[in-house]
Amino acid sequence: NAGVTQTPKFQVLKTGQSMTLQCAQDMNHNSMYWYRQDPGMGLRLIYYSASEGTTDKGEVPNGYNVSRLNKREFSLRLESAAPSQTSVYFCATFNEGWNSPLHFGNGTRLTVT
Amino acid sequence: DAKTTQPPSMDCAEGRAANLPCNHSTISGNEYVYWYRQIHSQGPQYIIHGLKNNETNEMASLIITEDRKSSTLILPHATLRDTAVYYCIVKYSGSARQLTFGSGTQLTVLP
């Protein structure tokens, strides 16, 4: 039982390059979230998805796109990476209505040079 | 969802109880209080949650005031491994909404 799996674990991009961060969960949870965490800062919500086929913006959505491919997978895409997007990205899931906690992946550490 | 306020940092002596406060004065009746911690840059780890009654599990105790406007996470016998950033959030138990984290409290357990 892997829980929440994020790939890749580390990535270095050059300014202007694109990439997709992957998140997959095997807990059959409906809701999935993408957060970013800058050094010494708290978590900030980028996008979330309440269910398959739906996505909504969080606090800091600019520069990102998301796709809820199916119930298991929620991807985050950077179309044209910028140094300001250097951060650690966390994916999380939970089952609303079940009073359950958020379950987090171990993060993707992204550096944009 | 209601916002939370936590002190930026606290110290605690090893073996003593660590009491971490959280203010959530705008909490609504159907919002739960959740606590997480983050060690180094790992993914946040769930600790405990509650609605209005005090709760205890193998990791910690949660004390929620009667008016529910604040709460305290208690680590009864802090160890060096409890050094982490602790986050308090309030979460609606119904349909998914934005879940935002504040800056948390950096707890340092001193030997």
Side-chain angles (χ1 to χ4, degrees), chain A residues 4-85:
Chain A
V4 181
T5 303
Q6 292 185 237
T7 55
K9 289 185 171 56
F10 301 93
Q11 183 71 51
V12 178
L13 292 177
K14 294 184 177 179
T15 297
Q17 287 185 316
S18 62
M19 79 161 293
T20 300
L21 283 65
Q22 306 286 355
C23 176
Q25 52 109 353
D26 62 4
M27 295 178 290
N28 203 35
H29 286 176
N30 289 322
S31 302
M32 299 185 73
Y33 296 77
W34 275 107
Y35 291 90
R36 61 176 287 176
Q37 185 173 38
D38 300 334
M41 305 288 287
L43 295 156
R44 291 187 293 169
L45 180 65
I46 306 172
Y47 271 94
Y48 68 103
S49 169
S51 61
E52 181 181 349
T54 67
T55 61
D56 286 283
K57 296 179 180 179
E59 303 170 87
V60 288
N62 291 342
Y64 304 95
N65 288 304
V66 290
S67 177
R68 184 72 182 270
L69 304 170
N70 47 54
K71 191 171 186 178
R72 288 188 65 248
E73 299 171 296
F74 189 36
S75 61
L76 179 71
R77 182 160 178 84
L78 287 70
E79 291 290 351
S80 179
S84 61
Q85 294 178 304

Side-chain angles (χ1 to χ4, degrees), chain A residues 37-40 88 90 105-109, chain B residues 38-44:
Chain A
Q37 185 173 38
D38 300 334
V88 181
F90 290 102
N106 284 325
T108 293
R109 283 145 185 81
Chain B
Q38 187 175 27
I39 298 174
H40 300 300
S41 292
Q42 299 174 18

Side-chain angles (χ1 to χ4, degrees), chain B residues 16-78:
Chain B
R16 303 296 294 268
N19 297 283
L20 293 92
C22 180
N23 180 284
H24 31 79
S25 58
T26 61
I27 192 170
S28 62
N30 52 14
E31 288 181 316
Y32 286 72
V33 180
Y34 281 76
W35 283 84
Y36 294 81
R37 73 179 183 184
Q38 187 175 27
I39 298 174
H40 300 300
S41 292
Q42 299 174 18
Q45 175 192 24
Y46 164 76
I47 302 173
I48 198 168
H49 72 281
L51 182 63
K52 56 184 177 182
N53 297 319
N54 298 338
E55 302 287 345
T56 296
N57 64 19
E58 66 278 5
M59 292 181 67
S61 295
L62 173 60
I63 308 297
I64 302 173
T65 57
E66 191 168 346
D67 64 7
R68 302 210 323 123
K69 292 185 177 182
S70 65
S71 60
T72 301
L73 178 74
I74 301 172
L75 307 178
H77 305 287

